[in-house]
Amino acid sequence: MAAICVFCASSRTLDQRWLDLATATGAEIARRGHTLVSGGGCVGMMGALVDGARSAGGRTIGVIPQALVDLEVADLASDELVVTDSMASRKVVMIEKSDAFLTLPGGLGTLDELFEVWTTATLALHRKPMVLVDTDGFYSPLVEWLRNVTAQNFLKPGGFNLLQFADTLPAALDLLESRLT
């Protein structure tokens, strides 16, 4: 099966519904027989994500920079924990180890990871599917802005279409699986 990388928040101050979404995501990835690739953290949605995957018998790969290991937020229970020297090299390793990408709600770090993987796809550096999970319209303002960027020719329609959108977790995973080659 595939290695699915999930980008999500690591904040410790999130509403329970976001933690529940992350737990369900990890569990569903594992139930479908996929390996979970994460940012290697054990807190916030990222921690809930890996806990969900392991609770369903899934394999987890964490990729984390040494600076975050030093802050004691590393997922030491990962089946494989890759420690990088920087946030930039972390993203490179995550892309290399993954067959597909799923983005859950998150903040700046999540968006940084999403845009890195999307930008490299627009440059044809990889052809891996990417799905943004727009739970409860969380990303709707961003998607509207991206449509406007595309309409004004700052992003080609082909580039815009590389990122797929889904309202629910099952729909997002079905979409990713349908695009895996």
Side-chain angles (χ1 to χ4, degrees):
M1 297 309 282
I4 298 177
C5 184
V6 177
F7 303 132
C8 61
S10 61
S11 171
R12 298 175 197 234
T13 60
L14 299 172
D15 288 344
Q16 187 62 43
R17 70 185 183 131
W18 301 120
L19 300 174
D20 292 344
L21 173 63
T23 300
T25 301
E28 187 60 21
I29 286 170
R31 272 195 285 283
R32 292 180 183 221
H34 303 295
T35 295
L36 171 66
V37 178
S38 77
C42 64
V43 295
M45 288 177 73
M46 202 179 308
L49 176 74
V50 296
D51 288 346
R54 283 194 287 271
S55 72
R59 181 173 190 280
T60 61
I61 300 171
V63 184
I64 189 167
Q66 183 64 52
L68 295 181
V69 173
D70 295 344
L71 291 175
E72 299 181 350
V73 296
D75 177 25
L76 299 177
S78 288
D79 294 300
E80 180 184 346
L81 186 64
V82 179
V83 179
T84 64
D85 62 353
S86 68
M87 294 292 278
S89 59
R90 172 201 215 180
K91 291 181 283 188
V92 170
V93 172
M94 291 170 88
I95 291 170
E96 289 172 350
K97 289 199 166 282
S98 302
D99 301 308
F101 304 91
L102 188 69
T103 303
L104 298 178
L108 292 178
T110 302
L111 291 173
D112 177 52
E113 292 164 336
L114 167 65
F115 282 111
E116 176 81 15
V117 75
W118 192 8
T119 299
T120 54
T122 65
L123 297 172
L125 298 176
H126 71 82
R127 298 191 184 285
K128 300 173 182 181
M130 304 165 291
V131 176
L132 181 73
V133 183
D134 190 21
T135 302
D136 297 336
F138 181 88
Y139 282 117
S140 293
L142 175 64
V143 173
E144 184 59 33
W145 177 78
L146 291 166
R147 289 185 199 287
N148 185 47
V149 166
T150 305
Q152 294 191 45
N153 298 315
F154 288 101
L155 174 63
K156 294 178 183 174
F160 179 84
N161 293 332
L162 290 172
L163 181 63
Q164 301 295 298
F165 307 94
D167 295 335
T168 66
L169 175 61
L173 288 172
D174 289 347
L175 189 54
L176 272 185
E177 289 175 332
S178 74
R179 294 180 172 270
L180 286 168
T181 54

